[in-house]
Amino acid sequence: MCPDPPISCGTRGEVVARFRRLLDDPDYFEAERLELIARTSRQTAGKEAVWQDLLESEPWILGVSLTGQLLTSWDQRKLEQVVAGYSVAGRAKRTDALMHTNGQIRSLVFAEIKHHETPLLSNEQYKSGAEYRPGCWPPSTELAGGVTQLQQTVLLAREDIGEVLNKLDDDGAETGEAAYVVRPRSYLIAGHLRKLRGANGVHRDKYRSFELYRRNLYEPDVITFDELLARAEWHVQAAQPHDVEE
């Protein structure tokens, strides 16, 4: 039985099939990007916008894939939210996905969504470059920048919101629902692990460099798009009915 009756397992299977095609088929990805521009009447749309559009329409992918806890969108209408407001002191901070855990007490969760071609290591940006030292590749500017961006977003949100965020209805009245902001979890979704492979297998020094970097981050957790897809595919497969042998 599907865990979420309003959405069929078949529909979710189609979603993960589209997810995989976006990862593996550059021509399909470009066609989807152009379709997004036409559908939303934008002048342009980058690669991040394609993924934001998919995850906005299918937030369950993040909900079941990022952590052992079930995550749902803070606002059912939109994942992306302003989490620190405009003021004379500075600009607003947005997060690509504002979610919360589920249980007797809820906690806010932040996610920043980049794209599948975001470089993970610096040598991906400079084809003529080499390791920083033998066997050591530093994180790319985009990856390190995304980490800093998300850390700043969470810090400013914590200062702006305080310890608890109360949900309000359309008239501005409290609904009785709230989520706590106590060292909130945060996730950066970027890149693809195939960037750490050679023609015939894993490039161990590159993989080691990347894995040590993300495992030693205090926060956020770094998740690649292929890892996100693998968890979503597992979820869909596990939800399918199985024949029981007598």
Side-chain angles (χ1 to χ4, degrees):
M1 178 180 293
C2 261
D4 191 352
I7 303 176
S8 73
C9 290
T11 299
R12 291 191 173 186
E14 294 169 1
V15 171
V16 296
R18 181 185 173 215
F19 192 144
R20 177 163 290 284
R21 193 173 178 190
L22 285 170
L23 277 184
D24 296 340
D25 187 339
D27 292 336
Y28 177 74
F29 188 94
E30 178 62 12
E32 289 289 286
R33 189 185 70 83
L34 295 176
E35 190 277 332
L36 175 63
I37 293 174
R39 172 162 47 88
T40 58
S41 300
R42 302 183 186 187
Q43 291 185 341
T44 187
K47 295 174 183 176
E48 293 180 15
V50 176
W51 291 112
Q52 184 77 35
D53 182 67
L54 173 66
L55 296 174
E56 283 279 2
S57 62
E58 305 293 341
W60 64 270
I61 295 175
L62 298 180
V64 302
S65 302
L66 290 180
T67 180
Q69 296 166 298
L70 173 64
L71 306 180
T72 50
S73 179
W74 171 255
D75 186 332
Q76 297 303 313
R77 295 166 296 185
K78 189 172 178 61
L79 272 176
E80 185 181 30
Q81 298 292 326
V82 174
V83 293
Y86 281 97
S87 73
V88 294
R91 296 175 295 178
K93 296 296 290 183
R94 293 180 180 270
T95 185
D96 288 335
L98 183 64
M99 299 168 288
H100 61 76
T101 61
N102 287 265
Q104 291 295 307
I105 300 175
R106 297 177 175 181
S107 299
L108 281 187
V109 177
F110 297 77
E112 187 69 28
I113 303 164
K114 300 302 182 183
H115 59 82
H116 61 302
E117 294 182 358
T118 300
L120 298 176
L121 300 175
S122 61
N123 75 308
E124 295 176 49
Q125 301 165 283
Y126 310 107
K127 294 182 179 180
S128 60
E131 314 96 304
Y132 175 71
R133 290 290 186 272
C136 301
W137 276 267
S140 70
T141 300
E142 286 91 340
L143 182 63
V147 167
T148 301
Q149 176 188 358
L150 188 47
Q151 289 172 340
Q152 290 274 29
T153 297
V154 173
L155 174 66
L156 294 177
R158 177 67 178 82
E159 293 175 350
D160 200 62
I161 295 170
E163 190 177 53
V164 61
L165 178 62
N166 292 295
K167 185 169 287 188
L168 306 178
D169 63 20
D170 292 336
D171 292 327
E174 293 185 2
T175 65
E177 298 179 78
Y180 281 83
V181 196
V182 181
R183 258 202 68 200
R185 293 177 181 270
S186 56
Y187 298 89
L188 175 64
I189 305 166
H192 196 299
L193 289 178
R194 65 186 165 211
K195 296 286 190 175
L196 309 179
R197 296 180 61 90
N200 298 306
V202 176
H203 191 301
R204 294 191 182 185
D205 286 341
K206 290 183 179 180
Y207 175 69
R208 187 184 297 116
S209 296
F210 170 71
E211 194 66 23
L212 286 172
Y213 173 73
R214 71 169 171 175
R215 290 295 297 148
N216 282 281
L217 280 173
Y218 185 68
E219 55 190 25
D221 288 328
V222 177
I223 308 293
T224 60
F225 276 88
D226 54 306
E227 291 173 325
L228 188 68
L229 172 62
R231 183 65 183 267
E233 288 180 327
W234 174 87
H235 165 77
V236 170
Q237 184 178 6
Q240 297 292 340
H242 298 283
D243 294 331
V244 179
E245 295 184 3
E246 301 248 349

